[in-house]
Amino acid sequence: PLGLVSEQAQELVSSLLRLEPEQRLTAQQALNHPWVQASSTQSLPSAQRNMTAFLAQEAQRKQVTSTMITTRVSYLLRMDASVRKALASVHPSEHSEGDLTDSDT
């Protein structure tokens, strides 16, 4: 939505998209445009803060995902051991610890 884009930014883009090359801004003129000049001095600290926050959030997301996976694998391993013990107690002569085949599951 254009409502989120400043008038200066809209004017810059419009100037860069003109069909006639002689009416179009040159690269140097675009770099000297007030929006670019203002953005380059004001946005850098903000961009750095945003990037730092994003990287911290991404690291936290990875840590949470890792913890969830570890917890799930641990749970599944405990369940596997419980199932093996249960089967061994039901059929002690047929199953030894770690002696399950695909037909047993």
Side-chain angles (χ1 to χ4, degrees), residues 75-86:
Y75 170 77
L76 292 173
L77 289 173
R78 285 193 311 276
M79 290 301 295
D80 182 56
S82 297
V83 168
R84 288 176 188 268
K85 285 181 184 177

Side-chain angles (χ1 to χ4, degrees), residues 39-88:
S39 295
S40 64
T41 59
Q42 294 173 1
S43 295
L44 186 57
S46 175
Q48 289 172 328
R49 282 192 303 276
N50 290 343
M51 183 58 74
T52 300
F54 171 78
L55 292 174
Q57 187 177 31
E58 186 67 11
Q60 183 180 20
R61 185 191 64 77
K62 286 180 181 180
Q63 182 62 42
V64 168
T65 301
S66 175
T67 300
M68 290 171 57
I69 291 170
T70 302
T71 301
R72 184 68 175 159
V73 168
S74 177
Y75 170 77
L76 292 173
L77 289 173
R78 285 193 311 276
M79 290 301 295
D80 182 56
S82 297
V83 168
R84 288 176 188 268
K85 285 181 184 177
L87 286 173

